[in-house]
Amino acid sequence: DTAVSQTPKYLVTQMGNDKSIKCEQNLGHDTMYWYKQDSKKFLKIMFSYNNKELIINETVPNRFSPKSPDKAHLNLHINSLELGDSAVYFCASSQSSWEKLFFGSGTQLSVL
Amino acid sequence: QKEVEQDPGPLSVPEGAIVSLNCTYSNSAFQYFMWYRQYSRKGPELLMYTYSSGNKEDGRFTAQVDKSSKYISLFIRDSQPSDSATYLCAMNSNTGNQFYFGTGTSLTVIP
């Protein structure tokens, strides 16, 4: 039973398109995150939600919009995709912002 | 200065070797320290979680925290080819609202 699941695993799309990535956690955690991992494996935080409330909103283009319908779900919508958006996007969750962080398996986004 | 520094490697060792992976950090408020293992095309998997200074052992893995030197280590004994992966350190304080990650060290264990 997967703890943090995100879909799709792969996303190949054209520049200018709009796409969404979905994330769900069944750990009962209060805090969820979106991270972007570049080709050098560096994990950069994008957003953090605690119990559906936005806590962290790093310097991310406003084409990226997170949505948390409930504390078990955090989706990421991306408008007007650009070549530079190509990366692996990870969803993660933790009980609080300093407790163990658990990651999903990632979404490989390729913008052509 | 970055919050967390980690040598990216790559590190290549023969099977059976002892591996030492390290991170340094600048924020003395960090109290929670984690090590993650990430296989190619997979999500980071939590290996070790420690609080404050000291050692923690789990099988072939030992995590060590030296808060006075702002230095953490992960030791892997009797390394196996299946340990080949990227290892990421992460840390936080109880007042911080995010984890701070190192850049990851790529490890290859040669049979």
Side-chain angles (χ1 to χ4, degrees), chain A residues 1-24:
Chain A
D1 203 17
T2 306
V4 182
S5 58
Q6 57 183 107
T7 54
K9 190 166 175 60
Y10 299 98
L11 192 49
V12 181
T13 188
Q14 300 287 331
M15 257 194 328
N17 283 351
D18 303 339
K19 290 292 178 186
S20 292
I21 307 172
K22 294 186 175 182
C23 179
E24 176 183 3

Side-chain angles (χ1 to χ4, degrees), chain A residues 5-53:
Chain A
S5 58
Q6 57 183 107
T7 54
K9 190 166 175 60
Y10 299 98
L11 192 49
V12 181
T13 188
Q14 300 287 331
M15 257 194 328
N17 283 351
D18 303 339
K19 290 292 178 186
S20 292
I21 307 172
K22 294 186 175 182
C23 179
E24 176 183 3
Q25 54 96 1
N26 63 7
L27 297 166
H29 288 165
D30 287 339
T31 308
M32 295 186 72
Y33 310 79
W34 278 109
Y35 283 86
K36 180 180 181 180
Q37 189 172 49
D38 60 25
S39 57
K40 294 186 178 178
K41 297 288 192 181
F42 182 64
L43 277 163
K44 181 177 167 54
I45 191 162
M46 300 173 69
F47 302 103
S48 164
Y49 270 73
N50 181 272
N51 214 356
K52 301 195 297 173
E53 182 185 343

